Structures are given as structure tokens and as C-alpha cells.
């Protein structure tokens, strides 16, 4: 069997490294500008993570060759690039047996669409699935065990197929799910709360604050997601609560790091330049606020992070504004 990973960033290469032994053929695709000579010639990267791929892994910038005869195609590109890649795939064409799996966590702007919706719009006949959970790349590379969920709408046999082929004993355990909406919203919206957690950590607001933040953040995620068709049980599973706990607790999370730098008074443009990689929660803060407004739902933490990202409000002003809101029932 052949596995193709579309996206030569940290998570794409980490998944390649993790899953190589599960497949006879493995291919990584990336744009020319994303594939270093070190990766192309030595199957190795040193920044931002050190990853050594096996010799059998093919590295290419030819998309047609990459997806040719692939049984499973993992889509591991930034959410802003998903539509473009899917449009390119549509021109090439997919076989009926091929499965396209999204692993990116975010919402498209300005459409506010989930990634599987974008994929379905561009590839209406494709077998589309979603994989999401607490998956910090550095810990996966260290061999630390984790678990995630995989869902395929109306085709449980595809989710079961992916569960079997992508599970790695003692390292990566997959659970099947039928709630694509919940998996995607859980994985996407928690990134905004992770920024808030990093923000609070930088301001040294304490563990009580973190506990309150995660709890009220989960309430926001659930309100919005359920209103848009997600199952509450999914949001309290791996792709919701599990991912929320991991990313809100770890400096390994890019979104947590963005929040930490915002909490120290740095400006978002300088932060993203210094970070040098995508933090999906930045754009998702805008998307979730727009969704909440359409739904008539309050999302005070997400709104606060939107302000922190897109206005000149100071960290202390933001904290006071959030803590001094009108009192209400839990």
C-alpha cells in the first residue's frame, strides 16, 4: 500500500516519520519553496524540528506523481492552502478507492467553512475523512504515546480502514467516530483558547485561572459547535477536550506560544514573523467571532483573543474587560 502526505511542514513530516513502517510505499509532497535541499537529498530536517526519514520515503514537488496510486492521502497543509491544493487534485483526478484525509485544524476565511466542506466543494466525489486529536509533533517524535479520532461521514467502513492502517502500536492509537462536524470544530476552536492560555501564562495568572479558562473555553467551543451540528460527546472526546488540554498546557503548541507573546505585550505581526510558522488560532479567532455573531451566541474568551490579535488593547485592559463582564449563571 502507498501513503502520500501532502505538506512538508512539521506535522506532515512527523506523520510521515510515524507511519512509514505501516506502508510499502511512502511519499511526501511539498511546494518547491517548502522542500529544503537537506530534506530532498538527505531525508532530514534540522529546523524547527529534527526529523530523519527513512530512505524509502520519496520527497517530491510533483503533485500528480505524489498522489498516483496512493491508497491514503493525508492533507497536512495550512488551512489557507487547502482549497488551492484540492483544486490541483481535481485537475489530476482521484480514483474511487483513494481516501483523502484532512489533518489541518482551522476554518477558511472569509467563507467560515470547515476544511472538509472546502474539500467537498472542490472534490464532490472524493472519499473524505478527518483526523484530529492531541498531537503535539515534538512529543510524537519523542515516541510519547497519544490517541486521536478519525471520522468519515456516512462511510464508517472508511473510518475503520483508516483506523487499522494508521494506528501505530504503543505510539498512536486511533478511535473511529461518525461526527465530522464535531471533530473539525473541536480541533479548530480549541486553538483560540490555547492562545488565551498562553496569554494567561505569560501574565502569571496562576493555575486557578487556567482551570477556569479551559472550562469556560470548552463551554464556548461546545455552544458554537453544537449549534452548527456537532455532537456534545465528540467535543468532550479526543478532538475537543483532549486536544484542548494538550495545547493549552504546552509551550510546544504554536498557539500557546502566540498567546504567551501577546501576554508580554508583543504585536501580532512581530510574533508571526518571529514564529516563522502558521498558528491557526490567529485567523480562527476572527472566524469564530463571525460565526458566533451569526448564531447570536456569546464567546467572550474568543472575542477577547480577537481583540488581542487585531487591536491595540493592552494585556491588563483585556484581562479587566474579561473579568468585569456582567455576572450570569454558569
Amino acid at each position: 500500500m502507498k501513503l502520500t502526505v501532502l505538506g512538508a511542514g512539521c506535522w506532515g513530516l512527523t506523520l510521515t516519520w510515524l507511519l512509514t513502517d505501516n506502508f510499502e510505499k511512502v511519499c511526501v509532497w511539498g511546494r518547491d519553496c517548502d522542500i529544503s535541499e537537506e530534506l530532498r537529498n538527505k531525508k532530514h530536517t534540522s529546523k524547527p524540528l529534527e526529523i530523519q526519514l527513512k530512505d524509502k520515503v520519496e520527497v517530491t514537488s510533483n503533485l500528480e506523481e505524489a498522489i498516483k496510486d496512493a491508497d491514503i492521502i493525508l492533507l497536512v497543509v495550512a488551512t489557507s492552502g487547502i482549497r488551492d491544493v484540492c483544486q490541483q487534485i481535481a485537475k489530476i483526478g482521484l480514483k474511487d478507492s483513494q481516501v483523502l484525509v484532512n489533518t489541518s485544524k482551522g476554518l477558511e476565511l472569509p467563507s467560515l467553512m470547515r476544511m472538509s466542506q472546502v474539500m467537498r466543494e472542490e472534490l464532490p466525489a472524493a472519499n473524505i475523512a478527518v483526523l484530529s486529536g492531541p498531537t503535539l509533533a515534538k512529543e510524537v517524535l519523542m515516541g510519547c504515546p497519544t490517541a486521536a479520532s478519525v471520522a468519515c461521514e456516512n462511510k464508517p467502513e472508511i473510518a475503520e480502514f483508516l483506523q487499522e492502517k494508521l494506528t501505530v502500536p504503543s505510539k498512536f492509537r486511533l478511535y473511529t467516530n461518525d461526527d465530522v462536524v464535531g471533530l473539525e470544530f473541536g480541533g479548530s476552536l480549541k486553538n483560540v483558547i490555547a492562545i488565551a492560555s498562553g496569554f494567561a501564562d505569560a501574565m502569571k495568572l496562576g493555575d486557578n485561572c487556567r482551570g477556569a479558562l479551559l472550562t469556560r473555553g470548552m463551554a464556548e467551543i461546545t455552544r458554537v459547535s453544537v449549534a452548527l451540528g456537532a455532537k456534545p460527546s465528540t467535543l468532550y472526546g479526543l478532538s475537543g477536550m483532549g486536544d484542548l488540554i494538550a495545547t493549552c498546557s504546552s509551550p510546544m503548541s504554536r498557539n500557546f506560544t502566540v498567546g504567551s507573546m501577546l501576554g508580554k505585550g508583543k504585536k501580532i505581526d512581530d510574533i508571526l514573523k518571529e514564529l516563522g510558522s502558521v498558528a491557526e488560532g490567529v485567523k480562527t479567532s476572527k472566524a469564530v467571532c463571525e460565526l458566533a455573531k451569526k448564531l447570536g451566541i456569546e464567546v467572550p474568551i474568543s472575542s477577547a483573543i480577537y481583540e488581542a490579535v487585531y487591536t491595540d488593547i493592552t494585556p491588563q485592559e483585556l484581562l479587566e474587560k474579561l473579568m468585569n463582564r456582567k455576572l450570569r449563571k454558569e
Side-chain angles (χ1 to χ4, degrees):
M1 296 193 73
K2 178 181 176 180
L3 171 72
T4 290
V5 177
L6 303 182
C10 289
W11 185 225
L13 294 177
T14 298
L15 280 171
T16 304
W17 173 87
L18 176 70
L19 299 169
T20 292
D21 290 342
N22 286 17
F23 295 86
E24 286 75 34
K25 296 180 180 179
V26 180
C27 179
V28 176
W29 170 87
R31 300 174 301 173
D32 278 325
C33 61
D34 295 329
I35 300 177
S36 66
E37 287 303 310
E38 183 184 29
L39 178 60
R40 194 183 296 274
N41 298 324
K42 298 181 180 180
K43 311 292 174 65
H44 182 268
T45 63
S46 52
K47 292 181 180 181
L49 291 177
E50 184 171 2
I51 303 172
Q52 180 65 60
L53 303 178
K54 292 191 174 181
D55 289 340
K56 77 175 185 181
V57 176
E58 178 188 0
V59 179
T60 183
S61 54
N62 185 318
L63 184 59
E64 185 170 1
E65 284 299 314
I67 66 175
K68 182 181 179 182
D69 299 325
D71 298 277
I72 298 172
I73 302 168
L74 300 183
L75 195 51
V76 200
V77 300
T79 55
S80 58
I82 294 276
R83 187 177 293 276
D84 178 65
V85 172
C86 287
Q87 288 173 345
Q88 293 181 57
I89 293 173
K91 292 176 183 177
I92 298 167
L94 290 174
K95 295 179 181 178
D96 292 342
S97 61
Q98 292 180 297
V99 181
L100 188 60
V101 186
N102 175 56
T103 72
S104 299
K105 302 170 182 177
L107 302 173
E108 185 185 55
L109 287 171
S111 72
L112 307 181
M113 293 171 73
R114 293 176 285 107
M115 291 302 102
S116 69
Q117 292 177 307
V118 174
M119 294 160 69
R120 180 65 67 202
E121 193 168 84
E122 300 298 337
L123 297 160
N127 296 312
I128 294 172
V130 175
L131 188 152
S132 186
T135 48
L136 296 166
K138 190 172 182 179
E139 286 195 357
V140 173
L141 287 168
M142 292 165 60
C144 299
T146 191
S149 296
V150 61
C152 182
E153 211 164 54
N154 302 321
K155 291 185 178 180
E157 68 277 8
I158 289 180
E160 290 168 3
F161 166 72
L162 293 169
Q163 179 187 43
E164 178 188 350
K165 299 302 178 184
L166 301 181
T167 289
V168 180
S170 302
K171 292 183 180 179
F172 193 56
R173 178 179 174 84
L174 284 183
Y175 290 81
T176 58
N177 199 311
D178 61 359
D179 183 12
V180 169
V181 178
L183 251 68
E184 290 189 295
F185 275 126
S188 301
L189 303 191
K190 59 84 191 173
N191 284 330
V192 182
I193 309 305
I195 292 177
S197 182
F199 191 97
D201 185 75
M203 293 186 71
K204 302 187 185 305
L205 300 182
D207 291 333
N208 290 336
C209 178
R210 188 195 300 272
L213 187 62
L214 266 65
T215 304
R216 298 311 303 159
M218 193 70 229
E220 288 186 18
I221 292 170
T222 303
R223 281 199 298 270
V224 173
S225 302
V226 170
L228 291 166
K231 297 177 181 178
S233 59
T234 303
L235 300 165
Y236 289 97
L238 289 164
S239 65
M241 181 64 77
D243 207 358
L244 181 74
I245 292 170
T247 53
C248 287
S249 307
S250 176
M252 294 181 193
S253 163
R254 285 171 290 186
N255 292 288
F256 182 95
T257 301
V258 166
S260 179
M261 296 168 105
L262 283 170
K264 293 173 183 174
K266 294 186 178 182
K267 300 301 181 184
I268 191 63
D269 289 343
D270 297 329
I271 292 170
L272 296 178
K273 186 176 180 180
E274 184 176 337
L275 197 62
S277 57
V278 176
E280 294 286 3
V282 173
K283 290 183 177 179
T284 304
S285 68
K286 178 177 174 64
V288 69
C289 287
E290 291 186 17
L291 281 172
K293 185 176 180 180
K294 288 184 177 183
L295 295 166
I297 293 173
E298 286 191 350
V299 285
I301 297 172
S302 299
S303 297
I305 294 307
Y306 175 82
E307 279 196 79
V309 169
Y310 292 100
T311 75
D312 291 328
I313 193 169
T314 68
Q316 191 59 42
E317 287 172 339
L318 194 64
L319 174 63
E320 290 176 4
K321 185 175 181 179
L322 193 57
M323 288 298 292
N324 293 322
R325 293 173 60 247
K326 184 179 178 180
L327 299 176
R328 50 165 290 174
K329 288 184 179 180
E330 185 174 18

